[in-house]
Amino acid sequence: MAFASHNSKNGLHASRLDRPLSVNSMKSLASSPTALTPTSTRPKSAAPGSSSVQRRNGTGAQKSGKDDSGVSGRVRVAVRLRPRNAEELAADADFADCVELLPELKRLKLRKNNWDCETYQFDEVLTETASQKRVYEVVAKPVVESVLEGYNGTVMAYGQTGTGKTFTLGRLGEEDCADRGIMVRAMEDILADISPEHDTLTVSYLQLYMETVQDLLAPERDNIAIVEDPKTGDVSLPGTTLVELKDQKSFLELLQTGEANRFASNTKLNTESSRSHALLLVNVKRSAKNKQEKDFVIHNENGNSVHVSKGHRVPTIRKSKLLIVDLAGSERVDKSGSEGHQLEEAKAINLSLTSLGKCINALAENSPHVPTRDSKLTRLLRDSFGGTARTSLIITIGPSPRHRGETSSTILFGQRAMKVENMVKLKEEFDYKSLCRRLEAELDKLIADNERQAQAIFDGEEDMERKLEEAGTRVAEAESKVAAALEVISKEKQRQQKELVEMMQNLQIERAHRERLELELRENVQDLQDKKKKQIYAENEKHQKEIRDILEQHQQEIKDVQTRLANECGQRERLEKELHEANICLQQSKEILEPENIHKEELSDLKQMLEKECELRQQAERELDAFKREEKKLTNGITEKNDIGEIWVLKKRLEQELLEREKLEDEIKSLKQQLLQVHVDAEERSRTIGKGSSARSSGGSNSTISLHTPSNMKDTINGQRATIAKLFEQVGLQKILSLLESEDVDVRVHAVKVVANLAAEEVNQEKIVEAGGLGSLLTLLQSSEDETIRRVAAGAIANLAMNETNQELIMAQGGIGLLARTADDAEDPQTLRMVAGAIANLCGNDKLQIKLREEGGIRALLGMVRSRHADVLAQVARGIANFAKCESRGAAQGYRTGRSLLIEDGALPWIVANANNEASSIRRHIELALCHLAQHEVNAKDVVSGGALWELIRISRECSREDIRSLAQRTLNASPTFQAELRRLHVTY
């Protein structure tokens, strides 16, 4: 290492190579006789600045050679302000800080007095609140990256004792990981970047105490000599302990050991004042990728040149050093109270710091002489100031005005250090030992391969001869086997030909036998058909004969009946004639005889006989008609001889259909009676509920609504549900749904009421939807003109809409459009209440909000407020509250942005107008909706302009429900818009 440019060497010794940072082309080698030179060289370029180091994140080097502040290769200086400690807070409570930081301008103001100050410019200005991570990234990380690229680097802390130098550099962060210092963080980055297999990392930890170099890792080594290379000027410490690191844990243990061995004591200015300068030396050795593609020429001592191909190229390694220096704090004896041995320590510290200041002054002023040998500290830092290392200095200061002199001295030290320029160079060496080992290994491998190949050739020739002999033997054996196989094949062929001839003969015999069997089969089939025809003909003849006999028998019976009827007619005429004569005799007897009841018994007998004859006559006529009808049927049967069996089947089928029809008529009759009973029960329940509602409303608007159903209403509802459940079990859901399409209006009314009551039970909803009940209800809502059917159908849809799956089905089948049209057409408050309830249930689904609004759901909900009926308004308020709640949840989860759809559709004026409604059911939902709308900051301006802010304040004060009142208070506190408006109006809540 070289402290100044005039102390460094211009050439390279042996295999050492210095390369400027910003040059990426081929390296130039020195003209040493033993140097390795490429076949083409380039002229040397000027040394670049420290900012030209190519970062590992892919950014290229800056060819301008200037760093971030525009000064080439100079030392970067950052200033860090320590916050006031407890002593300063008490002693300097009435005094302002002596410094003022302007971090955005990277400036610092040092106050001389209350009206005058001095301003200084630094590379970075870190306030008392700056984190350890930011300090590392600003001060040390660029240096660490340069070290990983192959350049030397130095990070040093300078300042008054007690200003936080050790905290900035050596803090381990055991209690809080955020307090880790530069040493720990630098080692984390280095270990994360290097490869344990190919790279080497060693660490030494030293202290300069009383002008003696001591090893903190081996305290027995208390006077280590500083050795300088006379050719290169590099400084080394051969007596130090070198520890090879593999992980961060071992490094932390190393730091703990070193801090335990470091000298520190208690002074008036610092309870743990460092009494020595600590130096952490990190050596990084990495293999560099050779980008040259040309052959190399090696010049030996005799002047002969040897060409080295690309495959045997000399590997290049990069050796870089990171030096982290924690300087002991400068102090004044009168302030620190040092005496005795502490006084001697303070003298040594101040002496070494003074020597460092002199060297920096000489470098800043470009003095021809730099007194680097006045102190061991300046000898160790020769490469850090004016050398080839990239150096970053952090100066630490305190805010107390009592130490303004020390603070001013520290600031001036940093200002002078900013004027020091370094010539940062890449440190690369050719690894001849590695090349030699690799070439020897390759030579040994080639010799072994050659011996193996020669032995393999010899073994191969012997094996080839042996295989040829074996092949000749196998060929002879194969020829004998082929001859034997041919003989066997010939015999087998003859045998197969003989078998083939026999098989052909057997096949012809089987074919003849098969033809004979087919002929016999055809003959048997013909005989069977003839026999079947004869049997059918005989059966037909038999049936016709039986029909003729039955017909003749019936004709004979008809003749007998006609004869008997004629006889009865004659007897009737005779009896009528006798009756007539008897009447004449009776009249005559009335005239002759005075008694009235002489022939009364005879007359009665005659009347009975006459009536009996009339009955016999009527019976005979009926029998005659029956015989005539039967004769007609038999005649028709005779004319259709071949269809007797079919007529009999049709007759049986007709009788069966008549029985089924009668059974269905009975079932329909029973179903109508049950539906009628259900209707009566529903009407009874409506009257009961109506009476209960009127009783509650008569109690006053401020009375509490009972949460329990009256016992008689419960009995009515339970009885109706039991009736419906019994009907559901007996008849079945499919038959009930089929009645929704009945032509009878009363039947449809009763059926839709049953479906609505079934839908009120959650266990039945899935069954109704699976059976197609939802589509039937939507069809009724669309096509029916009956107000009762539409009202009950809307109520059933509202019950089904309580399930999230059913909500998606309703939307998919156009249900919201049908509900919106029904809301526009209906005037009945109960119908509007059912429709509003269905839409309110749909408003509670987060997935359907956009589609609900596009299909007119919000518009229909707001349109139903025209009814002014309390039940309708309560359902409208519930729907708006559900919609606002879903929007608030979507905004909180991040998938809902923009103004509320309710506000865009004009719902806010109605919400404000009804926020203090007398009906508690309306007011509660409106208050909840308003709180949810106000939670989203994008709606805040509309809430303020619409007058809803005052209602929100009223809710936060007067709402009866604690959860809504608390929600309103949180909303007012969380909104900047509301807070600004309240401050503008001078309102407190």
Side-chain angles (χ1 to χ4, degrees), residues 271-343:
T271 58
E272 294 183 1
S273 176
S274 300
R275 314 306 292 170
S276 65
H277 306 299
L279 296 91
L280 179 69
L281 182 60
V282 182
N283 297 289
V284 181
K285 182 178 179 182
R286 309 188 72 181
S287 298
K289 295 181 179 180
N290 201 329
K291 298 183 180 180
Q292 297 177 354
E293 296 297 334
K294 297 182 180 181
D295 292 343
F296 282 85
V297 179
I298 299 177
H299 301 280
N300 57 18
E301 296 179 354
N302 298 325
N304 298 326
S305 60
V306 179
H307 289 271
V308 181
S309 63
K310 291 182 288 185
H312 296 153
R313 186 168 302 147
V314 180
T316 304
I317 59 173
R318 293 180 179 178
K319 292 183 179 181
S320 56
K321 297 180 183 180
L322 172 62
L323 182 62
I324 301 178
V325 184
D326 180 12
L327 295 176
S330 61
E331 60 182 48
R332 291 186 178 179
V333 177
D334 56 344
K335 290 185 179 181
S336 64
S338 299
E339 58 185 11
H341 185 67
Q342 285 187 353
L343 180 60

Side-chain angles (χ1 to χ4, degrees), residues 637-656:
I638 293 170
T639 56
E640 299 177 359
K641 295 178 182 180
N642 296 328
D643 297 334
I644 295 174
E646 295 179 2
I647 292 172
W648 178 259
V649 173
L650 291 173
K651 183 178 181 181
K652 290 294 184 179
R653 189 180 299 171
L654 181 60
E655 292 176 356
Q656 186 176 359

Side-chain angles (χ1 to χ4, degrees), residues 591-617:
E591 293 175 358
I592 297 173
L593 300 175
E594 294 180 355
E596 296 179 358
N597 298 324
I598 296 176
H599 299 289
K600 189 174 182 178
E601 294 179 359
E602 295 180 0
L603 183 61
S604 177
D605 294 337
L606 290 173
K607 286 183 178 180
Q608 290 177 359
M609 292 175 64
L610 181 60
E611 291 175 357
K612 186 176 181 180
E613 290 295 331
C614 289
E615 290 178 358
L616 291 172
R617 181 180 178 184

Side-chain angles (χ1 to χ4, degrees), residues 55 96 187 265 289 316 330 337 357 409 434 462 465 570 580 742 771 931:
R55 304 292 185 186
M187 189 56 61
S265 62
K289 295 181 179 180
T316 304
S330 61
S409 175
S434 175
E462 291 183 351
E465 293 177 357
H580 181 67
S742 176
C931 290

Side-chain angles (χ1 to χ4, degrees), residues 646-837:
E646 295 179 2
I647 292 172
W648 178 259
V649 173
L650 291 173
K651 183 178 181 181
K652 290 294 184 179
R653 189 180 299 171
L654 181 60
E655 292 176 356
Q656 186 176 359
E657 289 179 356
L658 289 174
L659 290 175
E660 291 179 356
R661 180 177 180 183
E662 291 176 358
K663 187 185 295 183
L664 289 175
E665 289 177 352
D666 293 340
E667 290 180 0
I668 292 172
K669 185 177 180 181
S670 174
L671 187 59
K672 286 183 178 180
Q673 291 175 355
Q674 292 176 358
L675 288 175
L676 181 61
Q677 181 64 32
V678 171
H679 177 63
V680 172
D681 291 343
E683 294 295 334
E684 183 65 26
R685 186 185 68 168
S686 300
R687 287 194 294 273
T688 304
I689 294 173
K691 291 178 181 179
S693 301
S694 62
R696 288 195 300 271
S697 62
S698 63
S701 60
N702 295 326
S703 62
T704 304
I705 299 175
S706 175
L707 298 176
H708 302 284
T709 309
S711 60
N712 58 346
M713 188 182 299
K714 282 185 177 181
D715 295 339
T716 303
I717 294 173
N718 292 335
Q720 181 185 3
R721 289 180 177 176
T723 304
I724 294 172
K726 184 177 180 182
L727 175 63
F728 178 67
E729 293 176 358
Q730 292 178 353
V731 179
L733 179 61
Q734 200 63 44
K735 289 186 178 180
I736 295 174
L737 294 178
S738 64
L739 294 177
L740 294 176
E741 301 176 359
S742 176
E743 297 180 357
D744 191 346
V745 177
D746 293 334
V747 174
R748 289 203 304 272
V749 171
H750 296 324
V752 75
K753 287 182 178 180
V754 171
V755 174
N757 283 280
L758 288 173
E761 298 291 336
E762 188 175 355
V763 300
N764 299 328
Q765 292 179 359
E766 185 177 356
K767 298 177 182 178
I768 293 173
V769 174
E770 290 178 354
L774 177 59
S776 300
L777 291 172
L778 293 174
T779 303
L780 280 179
L781 193 65
Q782 180 181 11
S783 59
S784 179
E785 298 180 357
D786 187 270
E787 190 68 26
T788 302
I789 293 177
R790 296 167 67 187
R791 179 178 69 252
V792 179
I797 294 172
N799 290 336
L800 293 176
M802 290 188 292
N803 182 277
E804 184 176 354
T805 304
N806 297 340
Q807 291 172 359
E808 297 178 358
L809 292 174
I810 292 171
M811 294 296 291
Q813 297 182 21
I816 188 62
L818 295 176
L819 291 171
R821 287 194 290 273
T822 305
D824 294 339
D825 299 339
E827 297 296 336
D828 180 37
Q830 296 304 321
T831 302
L832 293 175
R833 180 174 67 88
M834 296 297 183
V835 174

